[in-house]
C-alpha cells in the first residue's frame, strides 16, 4: 500500500498519460459521486501522525504508574488495612486509583482492537504484517489522495479550457 503514490509514475505505452490520469478520468466519467472520497479521507491526515504502538506503550506506562501508586502510596489497599479517617491524601489516591484502573484498561482494550483492525486492514491490502507501520500506511493514502485531487483539478481546468475553446 505504501507504493500507492507511485501510480503517478506509471505511464501508458505511448508515454502520453499516466495511470492516475486514467483513473481520475474514469471515476469522473463513470462514477462522479465517488469523487467525494477525497473529502471523506481527510481525517487520515491526522491518522498518519499517530502511532498505535506509541499509544499502547504510553497506556502501559500509565497502568504501571497507577499500579505503582497503589503499591507504594496505598499499601493498606493491599493489606486490607483501612486508612485513617483524616488521611485525605490516601483517600483521594484510593479514589483516583479506583477510577483510573478501569478507564486505563478500557482505553488499552480499545487500542488493542484498533491495532487488530489495522493488522486486518494490512492483511486485506496485502501488506506484510511484520513490517506494517500504520503511519506510513496512512501517509501513503494521504499522498495518493492529494495527487488524485491535483490530477482531478488539472482535468477540470483542461475540460473548461476545451469548452471555452469550443465556444469561440
Amino acid at each position: 500500500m505504501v507504493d500507492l503514490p507511485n501510480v503517478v509514475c506509471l505511464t501508458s505505452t505511448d508515454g502520453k498519460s499516466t495511470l492516475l490520469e486514467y483513473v481520475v478520468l474514469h471515476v469522473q466519467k463513470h462514477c462522479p459521486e465517488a469523487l467525494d472520497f477525497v473529502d471523506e479521507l481527510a481525517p487520515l491526515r491526522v491518522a498518519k501522525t499517530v502511532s498505535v504502538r506509541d499509544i499502547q506503550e504510553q497506556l502501559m506506562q500509565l497502568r504501571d504508574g497507577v499500579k505503582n501508586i497503589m503499591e507504594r502510596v496505598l499499601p493498606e489497599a493491599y493489606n486490607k488495612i483501612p486508612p485513617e479517617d483524616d488521611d485525605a491524601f490516601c483517600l483521594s489516591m484510593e479514589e483516583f486509583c479506583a477510577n483510573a484502573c478501569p478507564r486505563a484498561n478500557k482505553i488499552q482494550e480499545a487500542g488493542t482492537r484498533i491495532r487488530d483492525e489495522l493488522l486486518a486492514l494490512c492483511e486485506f491490502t496485502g501488506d506484510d504484517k511484520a513490517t506494517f507501520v500504520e503511519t506510513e500506511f496512512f501517509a501513503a493514502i494521504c499522498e495518493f489522495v492529494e495527487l488524485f485531487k491535483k490530477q482531478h483539478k488539472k482535468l477540470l481546468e483542461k475540460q473548461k479550457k476545451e469548452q471555452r475553446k469550443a465556444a469561440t
Side-chain angles (χ1 to χ4, degrees):
M1 192 63 141
V2 292
D3 293 326
L4 183 62
N6 295 333
V7 168
V8 174
C9 300
L10 298 175
T11 58
S12 60
T13 54
D14 63 4
K16 293 183 180 179
S17 63
T18 65
L19 181 57
L20 182 61
E21 291 170 337
Y22 172 79
V23 169
V24 171
L25 184 61
H26 186 80
V27 171
Q28 182 183 9
K29 186 176 182 181
H30 297 288
C31 196
E33 66 276 4
L35 292 169
D36 292 341
F37 88 94
V38 295
D39 298 326
E40 292 170 7
L41 295 179
L44 292 183
R45 285 186 291 238
V46 174
K48 73 179 183 180
T49 65
V50 178
S51 168
V52 174
R53 287 183 188 125
D54 290 347
I55 292 172
Q56 286 178 318
E57 287 175 17
Q58 291 173 2
L59 285 172
M60 194 65 104
Q61 290 173 359
L62 175 68
R63 285 183 51 194
D64 290 348
V66 171
K67 184 179 177 185
N68 190 22
I69 290 170
M70 291 175 69
E71 290 172 352
R72 292 177 184 243
V73 178
L74 305 173
E76 55 277 339
Y78 285 90
N79 298 326
K80 304 295 183 207
I81 300 169
E84 300 288 328
D85 289 339
D86 62 345
D87 190 349
F89 175 76
C90 190
L91 292 171
S92 296
M93 294 312 305
E94 188 172 14
E95 184 179 332
F96 167 78
C97 291
N99 288 323
C101 284
R103 288 181 182 180
N105 288 339
K106 282 184 181 182
I107 293 170
Q108 189 160 22
E109 288 169 8
T112 301
R113 280 193 309 275
I114 290 169
R115 183 76 189 148
D116 291 345
E117 290 177 21
L118 285 171
L119 289 175
L121 180 61
C122 171
E123 187 175 326
F124 177 77
T125 59
D127 288 321
D128 182 10
K129 287 183 179 182
T131 60
F132 179 74
V133 179
E134 66 273 5
T135 52
E136 292 174 7
F137 178 86
F138 290 124
I141 293 172
C142 289
E143 185 178 348
F144 175 79
V145 167
E146 287 304 312
L147 294 169
F148 187 96
K149 279 182 6 181
K150 287 177 185 176
Q151 187 61 47
H152 184 240
K153 185 178 177 182
K154 283 170 64 175
L155 178 64
L156 291 175
E157 289 169 357
K158 180 181 175 185
Q159 289 172 342
K160 284 180 185 179
K161 188 177 179 181
E162 288 172 357
Q163 286 174 348
R164 284 192 300 263
K165 189 176 182 180
T168 58

